[in-house]
Amino acid sequence: MYNLETTNNGQTVIFDVQGSLSKEEYEKLKKELEPLFKQHDKLDLVVDVSGLSGMSVGAVGQDLTYTLKHFTDFRRIAVVGDSTWQKWLAGLGDKLPGIEMKYFDESSRDRAETWVTT
C-alpha cells in the first residue's frame, strides 16, 4: 500500500510505502506520476520506505524500468528509511550524474522534506 501527495504545485512528490507494493499498485503509481512529469521539467521526490516490507517481483521489474526511464526527470530525491541497504542505495544513486540523492533515517523525515525543496 502507498500514499502519494504533492506540494509546490505538484513539483514536490511525497511517496510513502507501507507494507508491500504489488505490480498493480506500481502501475497505478506510474499513472499518477505521468501528468506531473509533463507539467514540470524536474520533480523533487521524498520517498519514505521505512514501512516497506517487500515488493512483488513484478513491482521490482516495473520500478527498475520506470526509474531508468525517468531518472533525469528528478532534481533531488530524499530517501527516508530504516536500513543499511536503503542508505547504501541512496549513496549509490547520489553518485550518478544529474541528480542529488540523500538518505535520511525515519526520525529525520521533516529534514528530508526541507532538503528536497531547497
Side-chain angles (χ1 to χ4, degrees), residues 1-2 6-7 10 22 42 44 48 50 54 59-60 86:
M1 184 173 96
Y2 74 88
T6 60
T7 61
S22 69
K42 295 216 180 238
D44 295 315
D48 188 337
S50 60
V60 170
Q86 293 164 344

Side-chain angles (χ1 to χ4, degrees), residues 19 26-27 35 37 51 56-57 63-64 70 72 74 78 80 82 86 90-91 93-95 102 107-108 113-115:
Y26 203 84
E27 286 293 327
F37 286 124
S56 71
V57 173
D63 182 48
L64 290 173
H70 285 290
T72 59
F74 291 102
V80 178
D82 61 358
Q86 293 164 344
D94 191 47
K95 306 274 188 267
K102 189 171 180 180
S107 66
S108 301
E113 290 182 23
T114 300
W115 175 80

Side-chain angles (χ1 to χ4, degrees), residues 14-18 46-52 78-81 106 109:
I14 302 170
F15 175 59
D16 287 300
V17 183
Q18 295 296 318
V46 176
V47 58
D48 188 337
V49 290
S50 60
L52 178 66
V79 177
V80 178
E106 60 187 317
R109 175 158 169 169

Side-chain angles (χ1 to χ4, degrees), residues 24-86:
E24 293 76 22
E25 288 174 311
Y26 203 84
E27 286 293 327
K28 181 182 172 198
L29 171 66
K30 290 187 330 184
K31 288 178 184 173
E32 291 180 70
L33 288 174
E34 284 304 317
L36 299 174
F37 286 124
K38 292 177 183 173
Q39 183 181 359
H40 301 282
D41 291 333
K42 295 216 180 238
L43 297 177
D44 295 315
L45 175 66
V46 176
V47 58
D48 188 337
V49 290
S50 60
L52 178 66
S53 61
M55 291 175 73
S56 71
V57 173
V60 170
Q62 290 284 331
D63 182 48
L64 290 173
T65 303
Y66 196 72
T67 300
L68 290 174
K69 177 182 175 185
H70 285 290
F71 197 75
T72 59
D73 295 330
F74 291 102
R75 185 182 71 95
R76 281 187 161 180
I77 298 176
V79 177
V80 178
D82 61 358
S83 72
T84 302
W85 74 266
Q86 293 164 344

